[in-house]
């Protein structure tokens, strides 16, 4: 699972010899492997080359057991490809992609791609990011880890959109006014902070909490826009397929590490695919034979650094904005999504964020 992958990645980052081999075209020899396994804590490895996360002993093609295992992997993959019902639906970025088997090759290829995220979703989200950007920019300063970020704040101020940039993006007058108020609050806080040349946890928290209510309204409106479009797209796909194909259809989606819990797509699929949409199985521990949710990154040293940095940033930002250090460790749309889906399909709300 993700925890095991993270542990492996940290092992790689710590130069563990059992989780390293040289990149394309090279392998650790049996003699090298023996030396590393005997004295792994004192072994020296040239780390100037790029390293990948495979275990060297499992890729040594001179070992007959390894060759037999590689044959097993090929057979296993081929069997899975053959057994997989046709077609498959894949969430790829912001598209719902239909994959069908190519009878000539046996491989799955794209046959359809349907966008399911309206621009309103992005506009609402980007306005929220103006406030988050402002808070994140001063976090290292507030922790005493960096000087006052004057240039960063000036860059934020210089890069803010004008009211004329925002208003045409929102056809709903109430939404438009909300965005203008949030923009005005960001500009006022940054101007005041630059004029003082300092700020405090109390001041930053007061600013963030003043933005929390409109942020939640934006989150709700963004979730509603995406849910309505995704359900509409899925209804269109369903109506275009024979019943037997729909009943055998498999869905695969990805989400970022932080948005995996309470994922909007996962909640929508759980209800659309359920025989009882008002009472779907939302337990992450219960297997679903029609839907798979994956994390959308590959682990290496760079992604581990970024992932852990995201954790610490979101602990602080979650506390400042929502008085909950774990609030940003799940899909920010999770609660609004559940509320909207309950209104559409019925059932009860379970407060996913808790």
């Amino acid at each position: 699972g993700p925890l095991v992958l993270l542990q492996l990645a940290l092992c790689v980052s710590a130069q563990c010899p059992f989780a390293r081999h040289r990149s394309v075209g090279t392998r650790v020899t049996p003699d090298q492997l023996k030396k590393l396994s005997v004295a792994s804590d004192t072994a020296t490895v040239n780390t100037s080359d790029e390293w990948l996360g495979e275990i060297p002993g499992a890729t040594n093609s001179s070992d007959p057991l390894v060759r037999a295992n590689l044959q097993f992997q090929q057979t296993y993959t081929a069997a899975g490809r053959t057994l997989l019902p046709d077609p498959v639906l894949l969430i790829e970025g912001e598209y719902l992609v239909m994959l069908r088997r190519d009878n000539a090759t046996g491989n799955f290829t794209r046959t359809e791609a349907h966008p399911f995220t309206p621009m309103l979703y992005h506009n609402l989200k980007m306005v929220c990011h103006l406030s988050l950007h402002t808070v994140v920019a001063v976090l290292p300063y507030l922790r005493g880890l960096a000087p006052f970020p004057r240039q960063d704040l000036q860059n934020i101020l210089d890069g803010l959109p004008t009211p004329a940039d925002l208003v045409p993006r929102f056809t709903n007058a109430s939404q438009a006014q909300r965005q203008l108020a949030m923009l005005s609050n960001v500009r006022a806080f940054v101007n005041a902070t630059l004029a003082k040349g300092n700020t405090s946890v109390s001041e930053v928290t007061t600013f963030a909490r003043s933005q929390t209510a409109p942020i939640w309204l934006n989150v709700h409106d963004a979730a509603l826009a995406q849910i309505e479009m995704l359900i509409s797209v899925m209804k269109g796909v369903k109506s275009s397929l024979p019943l037997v194909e729909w009943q055998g259809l498999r869905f695969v989606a990805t989400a970022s590490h932080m948005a995996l819990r309470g994922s909007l797509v996962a909640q929508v699929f759980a209800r659309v695919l359920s025989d009882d949409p008002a009472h779907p199985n939302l337990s992450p521990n219960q297997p679903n034979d029609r839907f798979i949710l994956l994390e959308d990154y590959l682990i290496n040293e760079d992604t581990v650094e970024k992932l852990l940095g995201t954790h610490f940033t979101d602990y602080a930002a979650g506390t400042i904005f929502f008085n909950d250090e774990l609030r940003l460790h799940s899909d920010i749309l999770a609660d609004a999504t559940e509320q909207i889906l309950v209104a559409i399909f019925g059932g009860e709300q379970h407060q996913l964020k808790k």
Side-chain angles (χ1 to χ4, degrees):
L3 181 58
V4 174
L5 290 174
L6 181 58
Q7 290 170 335
L8 174 60
L10 293 174
C11 187
V12 172
S13 182
Q15 301 181 15
C16 171
F18 295 101
R20 287 178 169 267
H21 76 70
R22 292 187 189 279
S23 56
V24 179
T26 60
R27 293 290 185 269
V28 176
T29 66
D31 286 343
Q32 289 174 316
L33 179 61
K34 182 178 179 181
K35 291 177 182 178
L36 292 175
S37 63
V38 170
S40 59
D41 57 338
T42 59
T44 58
V45 179
N46 178 6
T47 59
S48 61
D49 295 333
E50 181 184 1
W51 290 82
L52 303 176
E54 292 90 342
I55 297 171
T59 58
N60 176 14
S61 58
S62 65
D63 185 327
L65 182 58
V66 169
R67 290 199 299 271
N69 190 60
L70 292 175
Q71 289 179 338
F72 153 72
Q73 292 174 359
Q74 293 170 354
T75 302
Y76 190 91
T77 299
R81 185 180 293 116
T82 303
L83 293 170
L84 183 62
D86 184 13
V88 172
L89 273 183
L90 168 67
I91 294 291
E92 189 171 327
E94 294 178 356
Y95 287 83
L96 187 65
V97 177
M98 177 81 76
L99 303 178
R100 284 192 177 276
R101 195 187 311 276
D102 185 327
N103 292 330
T105 65
N107 297 326
F108 281 82
T109 58
R110 292 184 185 91
T111 58
E112 301 176 28
H114 306 277
F116 66 87
T117 303
M119 197 59 214
L120 176 61
Y121 168 95
H122 290 293
N123 287 330
L124 291 164
K125 187 174 179 180
M126 288 188 288
V127 172
C128 291
H129 285 169
L130 300 177
S131 302
L132 183 61
H133 186 184
T134 303
V135 170
V136 169
V138 299
L139 283 179
Y141 167 73
L142 294 177
R143 295 290 178 89
L145 301 173
F148 180 71
R150 178 172 294 280
Q151 189 58 56
D152 290 341
L153 291 173
Q154 187 62 54
N155 290 342
I156 290 174
L157 190 62
D158 294 341
L160 289 177
T162 67
D165 293 324
L166 283 187
V167 172
R169 300 168 188 262
F170 303 94
T171 57
N172 180 293
S174 176
Q175 281 182 349
Q177 288 303 312
R178 187 194 316 150
Q179 315 317 307
L180 291 176
M182 294 172 72
L183 173 64
S184 177
N185 287 344
V186 170
R187 182 175 280 112
F189 175 78
V190 175
N191 270 321
T193 302
L194 284 171
K196 284 179 52 184
N198 64 72
T199 190
S200 66
V201 172
S202 175
E203 290 172 340
V204 173
T205 301
T206 298
F207 159 72
R209 300 288 170 85
S210 73
Q211 301 288 76
T212 299
I215 284 174
W216 282 129
L217 290 174
N218 274 18
V219 164
H220 177 275
D221 291 353
L224 178 61
Q226 189 171 53
I227 288 169
E228 288 180 338
M229 191 167 181
L230 179 56
I231 290 178
S232 175
V233 168
M234 291 186 68
K235 285 181 177 179
V237 170
K238 182 177 181 180
S239 67
S240 70
L241 296 175
L243 180 60
V244 66
E245 283 196 352
W246 172 258
Q247 291 175 337
L249 198 62
R250 263 50 177 185
F251 296 79
V252 179
T254 61
S256 68
H257 173 77
M258 304 305 272
L260 203 65
R261 184 168 180 260
S263 161
L264 180 149
V265 169
Q267 291 193 60
V268 172
F269 278 4
R271 290 184 183 270
V272 171
L273 298 176
S274 176
D275 293 331
D276 182 6
H279 302 93
N281 172 29
L282 297 173
S283 169
N285 300 316
Q286 181 66 36
N288 188 319
D289 67 347
R290 295 190 66 192
F291 174 60
I292 300 172
L293 182 64
L294 305 172
E295 294 188 45
D296 63 359
Y297 64 88
L298 297 175
I299 282 196
N300 56 37
E301 288 90 334
D302 292 336
T303 56
V304 167
E305 179 181 354
K306 182 178 179 181
L307 177 61
L308 293 178
T310 299
H311 271 259
F312 281 95
T313 301
D314 284 0
Y315 285 138
T319 300
I320 289 174
F321 275 96
F322 309 113
N323 196 30
D324 180 356
E325 69 171 10
L326 296 179
R327 187 60 193 87
L328 297 179
H329 283 63
S330 59
D331 192 338
I332 192 68
L333 305 175
D335 298 299
T337 295
E338 188 181 28
Q339 181 184 19
I340 292 165
L341 292 175
V342 166
I344 294 173
F345 294 103
E348 299 176 351
Q349 192 165 354
H350 301 287
Q351 298 293 327
L352 288 178
K353 76 183 182 68
K354 296 180 181 178

